[in-house]
Amino acid sequence: MASNPELYVGCPTPNCPAYVVVRNPGNIEKCVCPTCGMVFCSQCKEPYHYDTTCGEAAATKDRWFEWMASGKAAYLKESKAKEKAATKKFDKAVKDAMARFNDMQRDEEWKEKHCRCCPHCGKVVYRVDGCDSMTCGRDAQDKGGGNKQDGCGKAFNWAQAEKYKRPNESANLPKSLAEVDPDNIKDIKHHLIAVPSFEKQRSHEYRIKCNVCGDDIVGPRFSCIHCMLETCIECSGNASTVMPKHTAEHAFKIHFEDASAVTITNTGRRGGAALQEQASWDILRADEAPDAHPFNGANGSANRSENEERRTTAIRNACAQS
């Protein structure tokens, strides 16, 4: 199995010997270890991340931990008492998460200085000593050829192998706090779709709701990339204490602007083929993958979040009227 790392992906949990067979080798896929239950990405082997590339997930984690460390306090600088009360409940969880994040950052810095990637399977390899002749996942033959680890077992030259670099892609992420006008954030409302011009009076029906408190999300919106939880700023900090699938290690995308995915109007071409194509794609994505949402139901459409169900309905209704 280790000789075919694209089809058989080893569990990243330390000392776990299990492998997961992937359905689409070479693509991002959610893997669930049959032995320890770890849910991870088939490509980067980090906790699985929805709707983000591996590089975007890394950038999201950086932004999220930066927000916890200083961004939230800066955003709420005019209400220090509120900030103190809001963070008291989950202060220890945040500190633990920050400690793990700092450890991860140090590990990544060390790997960038000392490791390279196997040109055949992409596995990160560290050379202990010896010449440039390497075997992925094995000690070299002159070292006995033992010490087998997760790797493809193919030979390569260390000097010619690409140096390890942590993926970090932010171009497609929501704008950061520094990129938006802070005066416009606190009253921003987030919608399932861009409100059709002929249904402005019903705009409240299209608003995204917090999965924790159930209210419309006003101000920054927090979308977990690991479990698809949607929360408001008040619930983002203690979500791990009330939502069993969400943990302190999870990272949120933070939306400081309304990022409605589909624009629907009744003014000609946009209501035609282009709209139908986009809407069909969004409906397909909402209807696919029995395990698409980790909070609701056991399978099928019942597994989608309330926001996803409402968004799909809104798209269908708006298409019918456009």
Side-chain angles (χ1 to χ4, degrees):
M1 288 188 289
S3 63
N4 193 346
E6 285 200 345
L7 183 60
Y8 301 98
V9 180
C11 176
T13 301
N15 302 318
C16 181
Y19 284 79
V20 176
V21 180
V22 298
R23 292 166 293 182
N24 300 295
N27 297 310
I28 293 177
E29 187 172 325
K30 183 169 102 173
C31 297
V32 181
C33 177
T35 300
C36 70
M38 170 73 172
V39 181
F40 61 96
C41 170
S42 61
Q43 294 296 296
C44 64
K45 295 192 176 182
E46 292 291 325
Y48 185 70
H49 40 89
Y50 290 90
D51 295 329
T52 54
T53 65
C54 299
E56 289 169 350
T60 298
K61 289 180 181 179
D62 288 345
R63 287 189 180 187
W64 170 238
F65 285 108
E66 181 182 353
W67 168 264
M68 288 198 297
S70 60
K72 185 176 182 181
Y75 175 71
L76 297 175
K77 62 183 178 181
E78 295 181 357
S79 53
K80 292 292 185 181
K82 182 178 179 181
E83 167 68 5
K84 185 176 181 180
T87 57
K88 189 174 181 180
K89 288 183 180 179
F90 59 97
D91 188 55
K92 184 180 184 302
V94 170
K95 288 181 179 179
D96 290 344
M98 286 301 300
R100 285 187 287 272
F101 176 71
N102 290 332
D103 288 342
M104 181 183 70
Q105 291 289 75
R106 285 191 289 269
D107 288 344
E108 291 294 328
E109 289 173 2
W110 186 90
K111 286 160 63 176
E112 287 187 331
K113 290 180 180 178
H114 302 284
C115 297
R116 303 206 174 189
C117 299
C118 171
H120 304 292
C121 70
K123 177 178 172 57
V124 180
V125 179
Y126 169 61
R127 183 181 65 174
V128 178
D129 58 24
C131 67
D132 287 343
S133 296
M134 304 288 292
T135 303
C136 180
R138 312 281 191 280
D139 281 346
Q141 290 300 320
D142 62 348
K143 303 291 184 182
N147 187 27
K148 292 185 178 181
Q149 300 178 20
D150 182 25
C152 65
K154 295 181 180 180
F156 68 94
N157 184 280
W158 174 264
Q160 297 175 356
E162 183 178 354
K163 292 183 177 180
Y164 172 78
K165 184 173 179 60
R166 185 189 185 199
N168 191 307
E169 303 165 10
S170 59
N172 295 321
L173 294 181
K175 289 182 178 180
S176 66
L177 182 60
E179 297 175 298
V180 296
D181 184 349
D183 292 335
N184 296 331
I185 299 173
K186 63 179 181 178
D187 296 323
I188 195 73
K189 298 176 178 64
H190 303 268
H191 297 83
L192 302 162
I193 61 174
V195 181
S197 59
F198 51 89
E199 293 202 3
K200 290 288 185 182
Q201 71 278 9
R202 297 175 54 199
S203 64
H204 64 281
E205 296 183 16
Y206 293 91
R207 291 178 191 164
I208 297 176
K209 297 183 180 296
C210 173
N211 294 144
V212 179
C213 68
D215 294 337
D216 290 348
I217 297 177
V218 180
R221 175 168 65 93
F222 296 77
S223 304
C224 181
I225 64 172
H226 303 295
C227 64
M228 299 175 71
L229 182 70
E230 296 271 8
T231 80
C232 59
I233 187 171
E234 288 80 8
C235 296
S236 63
N238 65 348
S240 61
T241 65
V242 295
M243 304 299 284
K245 294 290 186 180
H246 183 80
T247 71
E249 292 86 357
H250 286 190
F252 282 106
K253 276 184 185 177
I254 308 176
H255 302 266
F256 296 108
E257 296 180 315
D258 185 8
S260 303
V262 182
T263 300
I264 300 177
T265 70
N266 60 345
T267 55
R269 294 184 179 179
R270 183 53 184 155
L275 166 61
Q276 295 295 337
E277 180 180 356
Q278 178 65 64
S280 298
W281 169 245
D282 284 305
I283 292 170
L284 174 64
R285 289 188 61 205
D287 287 334
E288 70 182 358
D291 59 352
H293 197 279
F295 286 114
N296 300 285
N299 52 41
S301 61
N303 224 13
R304 302 202 303 269
S305 72
E306 179 186 354
N307 281 324
E308 289 173 295
E309 292 279 7
R310 292 174 58 238
R311 180 169 181 270
T312 302
T313 301
I315 293 173
R316 286 192 172 115
N317 291 343
C319 284
Q321 297 178 51
S322 62

